[in-house]
Amino acid sequence: MATQDTNKRNPVLRATNLVKRFGGLTAVNDVSFEIYPGEVIGLVGDNGAGKSTLIKMVSGVYRPDEGHIYLGEQEITVASPMEARSLGIETIYQDLALCENLDATVNIFLGREPTKRFLGLFKQVDRGLMLNEAQTVLNRLDIKIPNLRRPIRQMSGGQRQAVAIARAVYWNARLVIMDEPTAALGVPEQRKVHELVRTLRSENVPVIVISHNMQDVFAVADRIIVMRRGQKVADVPASTVTGDELVALMVGAGEA
Amino acid sequence: MHKEQSPSHSRTYWLDILSRFWAWLFLFAMILIFWIGNPAFMSLFNLQSILANMAILTIIAIGQTYVIISGGIDLSAGWIMGMVAVIAASTMNRFPEGTPIWIPLIGGFIVGLIAALIAGLVNGTLVARMNVPPFIATLGMAGIARGVGFLLSGGMPVPIYVKGLGFLGNGYLFYYHPNAGWSFLAQPPGLVQADLRNLTGILPFVVIVMIVVLVIAHLLLSRTRFGLHIYALGGNKEAASRAGIPVVRRTVSIYLLSATFAAIAGVVYNTRFTNGAANAGDALLLDTVAAVVIGGASLFGGAGTVIGTLIGALIISVLANGLVIMRVNPFWQFIAVGVVIIVAVLIDQAREKLTQ
Ligand SMILES: Nc1ncnc2c1ncn2[C@@H]1O[C@H](COP(=O)(O)OP(=O)(O)O)[C@@H](O)[C@H]1O
Ligand SMILES: [Mg+2]
């Protein structure tokens, strides 16, 4: 409990008064939030509520028009998705950003492949090391992929999610953001993704999960942030709300 | 969950294997048929001439392999080769008579290579920075290189006056004669005309060049980060970019590499024919793309190997040679290659669908 309290005082990431406008439309309007180690936030809201725009400011896709983002103690400006990654903010997009023609191992290391000397002549990709390391991280996350040499194309949706998550964990993500991770998955695969999110939490990696799916949110979230028309309308522990209450907040029934 | 998926996976697995190895089977079947059709097909002399004749095709096709794996295509490589052949030929002729042969050879190659690299740089820049579709960018460059080649040569092949150049293009590393024995780098001295019939050459120089290029290109593609990134580009450019791969730089390098291989092929042409013709690579486009695609590369990008392209080039060259040896009208060769390339693409598409 004591550690929990220290954690509470030191958010991994803190965003204050973020604003993003597209022309006349204010997609995100003065939103602040913070996330603590090992915490899972469910970010919910109707279509067009501003969820994706909010996290894209954190993951370097958009520059906020107003507001600040702090990673630990330090204020950061995230100029590009690459910069976000190098800061330890890993975003797993709906389209996953994997190379489907390459295998899981290569995808985990893509862009940061380890090398070794080939007969002292030139530097070659160290496939053996990659395979071992990939195996280790997948074991640690309790992910079973029968054949790591098979192209991603031949894997199920859940396995692809798992590879994307393994990549984030391997590169020591400080924060993982998942945009609609279960949108394209069947129920058993959804469960697998839920387990993976819990595993990340147990590794003390905080996760923001954007979802339409109430089951998703209640299955994994510790805290729920509700957005409506660009504004944050609720930020509550998951145990204190019901699905009906969330829906009411999302559509604004409480106020009407 | 995994259990119910495994049967279909193993089915696609086997179809995948078949789609990868049909080219090998096809090659061996063809060799067998030609051998039975005419035993002379299997003579050392004929086999070596098949290899020597395919060197130019193979070298250009290797460059094309890189481009196609990355999701592009290079329609200009054949005309860049012709331009280089002209430029290198003119350069070689400028060296005074009596200069050791390797000086005009290297000099011609360097000047030709510079011209090729400029063309490759323009190709790569158009594709990578200005988002011109590779098909259009390199089609335009094909026209430009063609024009430059013809302008510089006045529309006629440029004969090369360097002594001994033809020996490099058509000679062998070793010679064997039943009476005179072995000799290295030159025919055994003192043979009269009548003896030459029994002279056997072993390892044509151009085949050595081809093998060296093949080995380097294979290692670069299959072992280095650069090679891996080419597959990533062809698989998902967006993902490659998000993973931090310098997409623009890599793409430009790929077109530079293709132009470099075209330049090597241009100088090999110089040595084989002791001239430089602007249209030297005119007929090569179909054959190079065919070799790459038969070799298992995907025109969608993301798949292919140098070894596969070698098999593809072998199929085309064995076909051409075998048809001649079996006294089939050589024009059938065009039809055969055309059919094989279409079949190869159909197999590629079927594989694409199966493994979705
Ligand atoms: N790139 C953009 N240009 C213009 N408008 C945008 C852009 N991205 C999002 N929007 C608008 O901003 C609002 C919020 O969108 P978004 O953040 O995608 O919502 P959500 O993810 O909650 O569905 C929507 O009205 C959407 O149309
Ligand atoms: Mg969205």
Side-chain angles (χ1 to χ4, degrees):
Chain A
M1 222 43 310
T3 53
Q4 184 100 25
D5 282 343
T6 354
N7 287 344
K8 277 284 174 205
R9 271 180 268 119
N10 298 303
V12 174
L13 183 117
R14 187 157 63 90
T16 57
N17 309 100
L18 293 180
V19 176
K20 182 71 196 174
R21 298 185 196 90
F22 293 113
L25 176 92
T26 307
V28 171
N29 190 357
D30 197 29
V31 173
S32 303
F33 72 94
E34 45 205 32
I35 181 164
Y36 298 90
E39 189 182 36
V40 179
I41 290 185
L43 181 58
V44 299
D46 223 351
N47 253 333
K51 309 180 293 291
S52 294
T53 306
L54 177 64
I55 62 122
K56 279 177 178 168
M57 286 189 276
V58 177
S59 62
V61 177
Y62 298 142
R63 280 289 190 91
D65 294 320
E66 289 170 33
H68 305 272
I69 300 170
Y70 302 87
L71 191 65
E73 303 288 295
Q74 197 139 27
E75 174 158 12
I76 54 169
T77 51
V78 204
S80 70
M82 256 325 282
E83 204 173 316
R85 285 187 81 186
S86 68
L87 289 166
I89 300 170
E90 292 273 351
T91 309
I92 298 171
Y93 298 93
Q94 258 165 297
D95 59 9
L96 294 177
L98 298 171
C99 286
E100 307 223 323
N101 58 325
L102 300 174
D103 63 28
T105 311
V106 172
N107 270 286
I108 289 173
F109 286 90
L110 200 62
R112 301 179 270 203
E113 306 85 359
T115 55
K116 65 174 182 200
R117 287 254 150 215
F118 174 83
L119 304 177
L121 291 175
F122 63 91
K123 282 195 281 181
Q124 69 168 332
V125 174
D126 192 343
R127 299 217 175 224
L129 179 67
M130 279 164 54
L131 192 63
N132 285 340
E133 295 281 292
Q135 201 69 67
T136 307
V137 69
L138 291 171
N139 285 344
R140 191 171 114 205
L141 296 177
D142 200 22
I143 298 167
K144 285 177 195 66
I145 291 176
N147 182 358
L148 281 177
R149 296 267 189 212
R150 229 168 46 183
I152 294 279
R153 187 194 299 131
Q154 297 176 17
M155 291 184 182
S156 68
Q159 286 174 336
R160 294 176 197 207
Q161 282 285 352
V163 172
I165 291 168
R167 173 164 72 183
V169 170
Y170 182 82
W171 294 104
N172 298 318
R174 296 172 71 178
L175 169 66
V176 172
I177 300 171
M178 302 170 81
D179 196 351
E180 304 274 2
T182 60
L185 302 183
V187 173
E189 300 263 85
Q190 289 183 9
R191 290 220 185 89
K192 188 68 206 170
V193 172
H194 296 162
E195 278 169 40
L196 284 167
V197 173
R198 289 190 204 104
T199 310
L200 284 174
R201 175 170 55 191
S202 70
E203 301 256 324
N204 230 22
V205 179
V207 185
I208 299 176
V209 178
I210 300 185
S211 191
H212 266 99
N213 182 338
M214 287 299 153
Q215 270 157 352
D216 263 0
V217 176
F218 282 110
V220 297
D222 301 308
R223 190 148 57 85
I224 297 175
I225 293 177
V226 186
M227 288 192 64
R228 183 160 61 88
R229 293 194 198 148
Q231 281 174 314
K232 185 168 99 170
V233 292
D235 187 341
V236 291
S239 52
T240 64
V241 284
T242 66
D244 290 341
E245 284 165 354
L246 282 186
V247 173
L249 284 163
M250 281 161 62
V251 300
E255 288 169 27
Chain B
M1 178 182 71
H2 293 303
K3 278 214 178 64
E4 71 187 37
Q5 276 174 358
S6 59
S8 77
H9 275 182
S10 76
R11 192 178 55 115
T12 59
Y13 176 80
W14 285 112
L15 286 167
D16 196 45
I17 294 287
L18 182 70
S19 71
R20 274 174 214 283
F21 290 102
W22 71 269
W24 291 85
L25 297 175
F26 190 80
L27 177 64
F28 287 122
M30 224 167 43
I31 289 173
L32 213 59
I33 289 168
F34 290 141
W35 191 9
I36 294 167
N38 184 349
F41 173 83
M42 264 307 192
S43 68
L44 181 63
F45 175 79
N46 190 53
L47 294 182
Q48 294 195 96
S49 76
I50 290 176
L51 293 176
N53 286 333
M54 71 185 264
I56 290 172
L57 162 64
T58 308
I59 292 170
I60 293 202
I62 290 170
Q64 194 71 269
T65 308
Y66 278 77
V67 181
I68 286 181
I69 292 173
S70 79
I73 190 150
D74 187 352
L75 302 179
S76 63
W79 288 105
I80 291 177
M81 168 193 155
M83 178 179 76
V84 169
V86 168
I87 292 174
S90 317
T91 310
M92 288 176 196
N93 285 338
R94 284 175 182 265
F95 290 89
E97 218 174 319
T99 317
I101 182 163
W102 55 272
I103 293 177
L105 187 70
I106 291 176
F109 175 67
I110 288 175
V111 178
L113 179 65
I114 290 169
L117 289 177
I118 292 170
L121 185 66
V122 173
N123 278 339
T125 307
L126 287 172
V127 172
R129 281 200 195 279
M130 297 169 181
N131 289 318
V132 180
F135 181 85
I136 299 299
T138 60
L139 191 63
M141 182 52 65
I144 294 169
R146 179 186 193 174
V148 171
F150 279 125
L151 281 173
L152 291 179
S153 63
M156 294 293 289
V158 179
I160 306 173
Y161 303 111
V162 176
K163 283 215 179 61
L165 193 71
F167 178 69
L168 284 185
N170 302 282
Y172 297 79
L173 190 62
F174 301 103
Y175 289 89
Y176 176 75
H177 191 274
N179 304 329
W182 289 90
S183 68
F184 180 62
L185 274 180
Q187 301 182 355
L191 286 182
V192 294
Q193 193 66 32
D195 285 334
L196 289 178
R197 215 161 15 107
N198 291 322
L199 186 68
T200 312
I202 294 169
L203 261 185
F205 294 116
V206 293
V207 173
I208 299 172
V209 172
M210 174 175 82
I211 291 172
V212 169
V213 171
L214 273 167
V215 168
I216 292 174
H218 171 70
L219 291 176
L220 181 65
L221 184 61
S222 66
R223 304 238 173 194
T224 66
R225 296 183 72 204
F226 175 75
L228 188 57
H229 292 173
I230 292 175
Y231 288 93
L233 283 182
N236 185 342
K237 201 178 288 178
E238 179 66 30
S241 153
R242 284 192 215 167
I245 293 173
V247 172
V248 169
R249 217 166 65 218
R250 291 284 185 264
T251 307
V252 172
S253 309
I254 290 163
Y255 285 91
L256 285 174
L257 212 52
S258 178
T260 303
F261 287 120
I264 296 171
V267 172
V268 169
Y269 181 94
N270 288 150
T271 65
R272 270 184 90 62
F273 301 97
T274 57
N275 72 49
N279 62 353
D282 185 10
L284 284 177
L285 180 61
L286 173 68
D287 286 355
T288 51
V289 174
V292 177
V293 172
I294 293 167
S298 166
L299 285 176
F300 304 102
T305 58
V306 170
I307 306 297
T309 296
L310 172 62
I311 300 302
L314 276 168
I315 285 180
I316 291 166
S317 309
V318 166
L319 194 65
N321 178 278
L323 291 178
V324 170
I325 283 207
M326 306 247 302
R327 306 207 174 167
V328 178
N329 185 329
F331 292 125
W332 277 101
Q333 185 199 330
F334 295 116
I335 296 172
V337 171
V339 169
V340 175
I341 190 177
I342 291 172
V343 169
V345 170
L346 288 176
I347 289 176
D348 174 36
Q349 284 182 341
R351 179 172 70 201
E352 196 77 14
K353 272 203 206 89
L354 278 170
T355 54
Q356 272 304 308

